[in-house]
Amino acid sequence: MLDAAQADPLFEQLKAWRLATAEGKPAYTVLHNSTLAEIVQARPRDPDALLEIKGISKTKLERYGEQLLALVVGAQDRG
């Protein structure tokens, strides 16, 4: 699953967002690559769908949910 997701432009957008969000900390402290890959595969469109993804806790949903959903929706609008 990770290999297929890595070929998707959304994966690179999510990685860039994660790096900026990490603010100098290791990027995996924001979200792991496997979580980003699941987001790419699932393409969640609402907070409940995002919360179903492994690695997305209620805290991470509150902290990053709007940004993640905006990236996913933006990618779908462009695709």
Side-chain angles (χ1 to χ4, degrees):
M1 178 173 79
L2 187 57
D3 289 340
Q6 288 176 328
D8 192 303
L10 177 57
F11 188 79
E12 289 303 317
Q13 292 170 353
L14 289 169
K15 281 178 52 180
W17 165 83
R18 178 183 65 179
L19 185 62
T21 301
E23 298 177 335
K25 296 179 283 188
Y28 66 83
T29 62
V30 175
L31 295 172
H32 289 272
N33 279 347
S34 59
T35 303
L36 299 183
E38 265 196 70
I39 292 169
V40 169
Q41 294 297 318
R43 306 267 178 172
R45 302 218 23 114
D46 59 61
D48 289 334
L50 190 56
L51 196 55
E52 291 179 17
I53 293 175
K54 183 179 178 187
I56 302 290
S57 63
K58 287 185 179 185
T59 301
K60 291 200 181 208
L61 179 65
E62 290 172 6
R63 192 173 295 154
Y64 309 126
E66 286 183 28
Q67 297 169 36
L68 289 168
L69 291 171
L71 285 167
V72 171
V73 169
Q76 289 173 335
D77 290 347
R78 287 187 299 276

